[in-house]
Amino acid sequence: MIDKSKLVPVVADPGGPWVLETGTPELLVEIRDAVHRFAADVMRPVGAELDKLTPEEVIAPGSPLYEVHKKYWDLGTEALQELPPEQALLGTCYLAEEIGWGDAGLAISIGLDGMIASLGNQMGMPEIAERYHNKRISAWAVTEPDHGSDMLDSLREVFGAGGSYGRPNCVVRRQGNEIVIRGQKSAWVSNGVVAEQAMLFAAYDNGKDDGLFQGCVVTLPLDVKGVSRGKPLNKMGQRALPQGEIFFDEVRLPAEHLAVEPDRYHEAVSKTLTGANAGMGLIFAGVARAAFEHALEYAHERRQGGVPIIQHQSVRARLFKMWRRVEMARALGRRVFMRNALGPQPVLHAAIAAKVTSTEIAFEVASDAVQMFGGNGVSREYPVEKILRDARASMIEDGCNEFLSIKGGSQLVDFSRF
């Protein structure tokens, strides 16, 4: 538990908002160290254990997955809000990087727990943030069997203004003072098979046969009548992150669960994707850092040619290249997160840049780490093989990098956004 008695005044640097650490921010250091210990002592061993289990065992009652969530909630990271804004934001950057350093799959699973409250705050709906607090396992139900990235292309920037969305797999319609949900979300819903609550992005039935797609956002508990789950997905990487289908069989809820109506759907997509991509940028900077640190340690231990391999010039050059890329990911991730939080409005293409850059760097650095380990690198007895598999998945999830790059480039058509 974080000791809030260490809260001390922090003096902002007169040189500008990007020079953040002057004075002695003891609480910030305490939070960073507490999260690092949690990542090292809880996330890493549990992540390695879950990686070896079947998907069914990962989500079974008594699985250590649930204990990870509870222990994270008990850390007391909400103490960040007692710091000045710039320090609180920097602390959030530390937090995201540290949990990524701990385990990529668990980091995403934990990160989802705060998404519904975040959307409520961003959309000016504090009642949602209060009702769906961040101490319950949560899911962002967006991707569909026939519509993955489509759901995030609300302005048709990628697939074209004349593109046809096709028949949606999950539809919300309004009936008086109720909403009715029918259909399904795909097997790629993160936390879908274990979540207690969800933020559902779905098609909205406006009662007109005009062929136009309209979207909406519903927030709901997942223990209501008509909700069922598919089996957990068996994946190559991020096996600690349970993913699976959610089915809605004429689920009826009071209309107040319709959090975002069609006229604000694009705003919700933009703000949610901006936050998610910025978080991914920070998390996978931590994943890249983990791969680099494993390689650096191994280079001092492994001997070839009669000396530790760190003594060979080619190894030093590779390590330096890895370190440079890690620092690039960390710097861009923090810069984007701070700019979006402190600037006049969040910038989607900046968040996309952080996500695409960090995930590509994480995969490249993990691949170099496997090469550094040689034959041991492809053995499951060593951690870099798992990190490589975890990093590979990151270039597809939360919008595949190719789709996001086109969407980010589309934002630059309007120079006023730059």
Side-chain angles (χ1 to χ4, degrees), residues 272-349:
T272 304
L273 188 59
T274 298
N277 276 195
M280 290 284 283
L282 294 165
I283 285 172
F284 281 89
V287 174
R289 189 185 112 212
F292 166 73
E293 290 178 1
H294 282 302
L296 180 63
E297 181 179 3
Y298 188 77
H300 283 84
E301 296 173 353
R302 177 66 171 166
R303 298 177 69 87
Q304 288 287 342
V307 296
I309 61 173
I310 189 69
Q311 299 300 325
H312 298 297
Q313 289 183 336
S314 62
V315 171
R316 293 181 185 184
R318 177 180 287 131
L319 284 169
F320 181 66
K321 183 180 179 182
M322 294 165 71
W323 178 82
R324 280 194 303 112
R325 286 181 288 176
V326 170
E327 290 302 312
M328 287 166 54
R330 297 174 87 186
L332 179 60
R334 293 181 186 182
R335 158 66 177 159
V336 165
F337 186 83
M338 299 295 292
R339 186 258 175 266
N340 278 349
L342 298 175
Q345 62 183 13
V347 179
L348 175 57
H349 63 264

Side-chain angles (χ1 to χ4, degrees), residues 81-371:
Q81 303 311 312
E82 300 186 31
L83 288 166
E86 292 88 351
Q87 290 290 341
L89 292 168
L90 182 61
T92 303
C93 293
Y94 286 159
L95 185 155
E97 181 182 318
E98 290 299 337
I99 62 174
W101 178 90
D103 185 271
L106 289 174
I108 295 171
S109 186
I110 289 168
L112 284 163
D113 293 348
M115 282 194 75
I116 304 179
S118 177
L119 178 70
N121 290 326
Q122 288 180 315
M123 299 293 288
M125 296 178 288
E127 67 280 4
I128 289 177
E130 185 174 340
R131 181 184 300 171
Y132 298 94
H133 59 74
N134 59 4
K135 292 193 176 182
R136 296 191 187 108
I137 300 178
S138 305
W140 178 23
V142 57
T143 182
E144 298 181 354
D146 298 326
H147 310 282
S149 298
D150 276 17
M151 294 298 295
L152 300 176
D153 191 26
S154 54
L155 292 184
R156 314 309 290 166
E157 294 171 310
V158 179
F159 300 113
S164 174
Y165 179 82
R167 187 179 182 86
N169 300 121
C170 186
V171 178
V172 177
R173 70 180 186 275
R174 190 159 188 163
Q175 288 188 347
N177 294 324
E178 290 186 321
I179 58 170
V180 181
I181 312 169
R182 58 176 172 80
Q184 73 174 99
K185 287 296 180 177
S186 80
W188 300 105
V189 177
S190 296
N191 283 351
V193 288
V194 295
E196 301 166 82
Q197 58 190 21
M199 179 170 65
L200 172 68
F201 282 47
Y204 183 80
D205 183 356
N206 61 8
K208 301 175 183 178
D209 189 18
D210 52 16
L212 297 177
F213 172 79
Q214 289 186 300
C216 66
V217 180
V218 174
T219 54
L220 75 158
L222 291 176
D223 60 354
V224 295
K225 183 180 179 181
V227 173
S228 58
R229 322 294 179 100
K231 65 179 182 179
L233 193 63
N234 195 6
K235 304 176 295 178
M236 175 180 74
Q238 294 185 24
R239 295 175 62 83
L241 170 64
Q243 294 176 298
E245 297 163 309
I246 306 179
F247 298 92
F248 302 90
D249 182 11
E250 298 295 313
V251 175
R252 291 182 174 271
L253 295 166
E256 65 188 37
H257 289 274
L258 183 61
V260 177
E261 298 201 42
D263 61 337
R264 297 189 71 191
Y265 180 69
H266 169 66
E267 180 187 354
V269 168
S270 181
K271 287 181 175 178
T272 304
L273 188 59
T274 298
N277 276 195
M280 290 284 283
L282 294 165
I283 285 172
F284 281 89
V287 174
R289 189 185 112 212
F292 166 73
E293 290 178 1
H294 282 302
L296 180 63
E297 181 179 3
Y298 188 77
H300 283 84
E301 296 173 353
R302 177 66 171 166
R303 298 177 69 87
Q304 288 287 342
V307 296
I309 61 173
I310 189 69
Q311 299 300 325
H312 298 297
Q313 289 183 336
S314 62
V315 171
R316 293 181 185 184
R318 177 180 287 131
L319 284 169
F320 181 66
K321 183 180 179 182
M322 294 165 71
W323 178 82
R324 280 194 303 112
R325 286 181 288 176
V326 170
E327 290 302 312
M328 287 166 54
R330 297 174 87 186
L332 179 60
R334 293 181 186 182
R335 158 66 177 159
V336 165
F337 186 83
M338 299 295 292
R339 186 258 175 266
N340 278 349
L342 298 175
Q345 62 183 13
V347 179
L348 175 57
H349 63 264
I352 288 172
K355 189 269 185 181
V356 171
T357 300
S358 282
T359 55
E360 289 182 354
I361 284 175
F363 181 67
E364 292 165 0
V365 172
S367 181
D368 280 347
V370 169
Q371 192 71 20

